[in-house]
Amino acid sequence: MENYKKITNFIKDIYKKDFIALHEPVFIGNEKKYLNECIDSTFVSSVGKYVDKFEEMLADYVGSKYAVAVSNGTSALFVALKLVGVKEGDEVITQPLTFVATANAISYCGAKPVFVDVDLDTLGLSPKSLKEFLEKNCEIIDNKCINKTTGKIIKACVPMHTFGHPTKIDEIKEICDKWHIELVEDAAESLGSFYKNKHTGTFGKVGIFSFNGNKIITAGGGGVIVTDDEELAKKAKHLTTTAKIPHPYEYIHDEVGYNFRMPNINAALLVAQMENLDKFLENKRELAEKYGEFFDSIGIKFIKEPKNAKSNYWLNAIKLYNKKQRDEFLEYSNKNKVMTRPIWRLMNKLPMYNNCQRDELKNAEYLEERIVNIPSGVVL
Ligand SMILES: Cc1ncc(COP(=O)(O)O)c(C=O)c1O
């Protein structure tokens, strides 16, 4: 109890507010100016200069050739999986410790998730567990990875960079390449995070980011698909804009497309947010350093960026000793107006995914009982 009070007071001291949210957006730049421009020009919807401008800025920032802005991270991930050819009846490997959107996007394709464990140091998909799972359960037939238990094709693998901490993505890529599995990165949480100096989300054939209200930069709601493949980028734009054949006035669509366009007004917000991204990253790194020192001093584990990685420290996390302590701290901090929350319930425990194949999930289960997220928004 003594420690719970110390932590809560420490956080209150940093933010100096009555109620401290987990991650509030910050609008300190050109947001209002650009939004007003949209309104004055009447270009508030899916056509307008800010969508193109944002796509250019984002691609440039992450070092990807193409970026396609969409309505949210979930739709981005769904389309990314379709782009690499995930079809009804396929299987897709992912981690059980993730936000539900990762598994849902797989389901929207008519595919089934297969859950493989995470590493304790990155909280992301473990290359070692992935390799062992494939060696034990799969074989390659006609350049396809076949799951011997189900007879299905394992078409793709979706690692997720948990809370912005990069997972060992180069090792995962190597394994996926060897097993003819397409790598799609769920980088929803990791804008501004690099692994071995390469931006997360750019290791696989396709990657995605989210700009939901709680992310490091926000469009209110929004997402983006990134790729270096020109054909896939064109296909992504086409599919997410109702598959309409460009024409000044005719309405002809050549397949079942989706209305996943990002409105200009959301893109305007994002352009202004991108202009401040480096400032946000610096501020969040300072906060993480403060947290790191404080938690070291009271003997509680603060999750730090893994080896070879530069994290955006999107959502800070601590690891408590057991579930009882976790629950007591959640109760105490929330009651005292410091918002904290446990890590997600594991995907394989949710009713819609509890019949999916899973490997031994020792680390994910250990973390599920102990990890708590603490306030992480930019400190003004
Ligand atoms: C890991 C992960 N994947 C996907 C998403 C989905 O993004 P969105 O909320 O923009 O649909 C989120 C966040 O919300 C996320 O944290």
Side-chain angles (χ1 to χ4, degrees), residues 350-365:
L350 302 180
M352 60 286 196
Y353 298 120
N354 68 8
N355 64 348
C356 294
Q357 187 179 5
R358 57 179 178 264
D359 200 16
E360 195 189 353
L361 303 175
K362 218 169 60 209
N363 291 345
E365 279 162 8

Side-chain angles (χ1 to χ4, degrees), residues 140-276:
I140 295 171
I141 302 174
D142 293 336
N143 290 333
K144 291 186 177 74
C145 177
I146 306 295
N147 184 339
K148 288 189 278 188
T149 314
T150 60
K152 303 279 188 188
I153 298 170
I154 297 187
K155 184 70 190 172
C157 173
V158 186
M160 198 275 281
H161 303 287
T162 307
F163 306 146
H165 298 307
T167 192
K168 294 162 193 150
I169 193 69
D170 57 345
E171 288 177 49
I172 292 172
K173 180 170 168 32
E174 212 179 299
I175 297 163
C176 287
D177 286 349
K178 181 174 167 202
W179 283 87
H180 301 270
I181 294 172
E182 302 285 4
L183 176 59
V184 173
E185 274 175 272
D186 184 344
E189 305 181 352
S190 64
L191 182 66
S193 300
F194 295 78
Y195 188 73
K196 295 186 179 168
N197 296 321
K198 186 170 161 61
H199 201 289
T200 53
T202 64
F203 287 78
K205 201 178 241 178
V206 191
I208 71 100
F209 298 90
S210 161
F211 307 108
N212 185 30
N214 63 352
K215 295 297 186 290
I216 189 155
I217 60 167
T218 186
V224 74
I225 301 166
V226 296
T227 181
D228 280 343
D229 184 314
E230 187 180 358
E231 280 312 303
L232 289 187
K234 278 187 188 152
K235 179 96 185 159
K237 197 57 155 178
H238 190 62
L239 267 182
T240 56
T241 55
T242 69
K244 183 179 181 294
I245 298 170
H247 190 280
Y249 47 85
E250 288 245 48
Y251 270 74
I252 302 172
H253 308 257
D254 62 359
E255 62 181 304
V256 178
Y258 303 91
N259 180 9
F260 288 163
R261 293 171 292 198
M262 176 185 284
N264 198 42
I265 203 155
N266 299 73
L269 207 50
L270 274 182
V271 168
Q273 292 263 289
M274 278 299 286
E275 289 170 353
N276 275 325

